[in-house]
Amino acid sequence: MSERRVVITGIGTINPLGNTIEEYFSNLEAGRSACAPITHFDTEKFKTKFACEVKNYNPTDYFDRKEVRHYDLFTQYALIASNQAVEDAAFDLEKLDKERCGVIWSSGIGGVKSFFDESVGYAEGGNTPRFSPFFVPRMIIDIAAGFISMRHGFMGPNYSIVSACASSNHAMINAMELVRYGRADVLVVGGSDATVNEVTIGAFNAMHALSTRNDEYRYASSPFDKNRDGFVVGEGGAALIFEDLDHALARGAKIYCEVVGGGYSADAYHFTAPHPEGRGAIKSMRDALRDAKLEPSDIDYINTHGTSTPLGDVAEIKALQEVFGEALPAINISSTKSMHGHLLGATGAVEALACVMALTRDVVPPTINCRELDPEIPSNLNLTLDRAQRRKVRATLSNTFGFGGHNSTLIFRKYESENNR
């Protein structure tokens, strides 16, 4: 059986830069920062007092009050993004073979806020344990995939993949392979995390992983900058519809781009720090290029993991130099985390949408806030600083890496009917 081609036919998001695709793309292209003082809780006792929160969000605009009680915030974001994507794909749900449609949804930490609230409530409640009957289904990571499938009646593959900040990239690679090898025709794939809460901010502060530049928070997410001091937490979710090309053509679907390659690896080095020479990242990118049957010079845009951490940014650039060699200076590179922050397990899906924008609009989103380039990063690289750049984009590569040494790389290509695998 020959491999089937996999295309993206629907997209949706709710994230710090926008609660719709058009709002997200507009702010991404404009190079706007979503960073602002935290409003979700009182930050008086915390070292970091800012984050990239979803703006103008009221859950009752999307769900009735009974549903809100059932859904942790990460599940709310998952349902909003996936509903947008399914609607965008314009399926005739009455004609769709729902046994061939599935959901693969990721999160880095799931319902951690629900876990925190229930645990504090128990600790303050005396000797009698009183937990909400909705506690477990609000907390567990796989519940978002389950609720998405229930919403649309999709009965195919349904589960979650968790690999810290590499989670949704791994989910997309898995979805690509399931469609490619005939296990499903349509998959809703993506990730969501609701990370701006006391537990997440406090825990990452304890690790010294977050920026603490409270006096200039708009510049705090500054990938590749000499003075970067850690990442900025973001929240939200993003969804993409991965579909078999023939299935999409048969129903007259619009096609955003093609998903052509995936790679994954482990650093086998340290539980939080990346390998200093990017050893695992090198393997991940090379495997993705091999899978896509592309050469390094075929890539026009690289969306880096680029978290604004002192170790991570340099290690990733070293890996890019090793993989792309002399081709690298001609490739646009950027870190969109400089604008929307780090959405942990949802990051890969949100950044996949940046790649979709580059391919469909021939515009590369910028890296903002790099005021003084780290001397360890070559000055001849095109980091797409400060403003978006227009160019012909044929193929994009997106990296995400996670604690535990997890590495994942996806390659997307402009859809052309004559492209043959």
Side-chain angles (χ1 to χ4, degrees), residues 393-411:
V393 181
R394 302 162 299 165
T396 69
L397 179 147
S398 182
N399 282 327
T400 60
F401 312 134
F403 285 171
H406 311 301
N407 306 294
S408 55
T409 301
L410 267 164
I411 296 178

Side-chain angles (χ1 to χ4, degrees), residues 264-282:
Y264 29 72
S265 68
D267 279 350
Y269 173 72
H270 189 271
F271 59 94
T272 57
H275 188 278
E277 302 300 321
R279 183 174 61 190
I282 291 168

Side-chain angles (χ1 to χ4, degrees), residues 33 218 221-223 306 335-341 366-369:
S33 170
R218 290 193 180 278
S221 186
S222 52
S335 171
T336 54
K337 288 185 183 69
S338 59
M339 294 173 278
H340 54 63
T367 303
I368 66 171
N369 298 335

Side-chain angles (χ1 to χ4, degrees), residues 232-247:
V232 175
V233 169
E235 63 174 355
L240 305 95
I241 304 299
F242 280 25
E243 187 169 354
D244 166 52
L245 174 61
D246 290 339
H247 188 275

Side-chain angles (χ1 to χ4, degrees), residues 86 269 381:
V86 170
Y269 173 72
L381 301 184

Side-chain angles (χ1 to χ4, degrees), residues 17 23-32 339 357 361-366 386-390:
L17 284 177
E23 188 180 8
Y24 172 51
F25 282 179
S26 175
N27 286 323
L28 195 68
E29 183 174 349
R32 296 191 175 101
M339 294 173 278
M357 185 184 81
R361 303 188 179 192
D362 288 320
V363 58
V364 175
D386 300 326
R387 56 177 54 89
Q389 294 180 15
R390 295 195 172 275

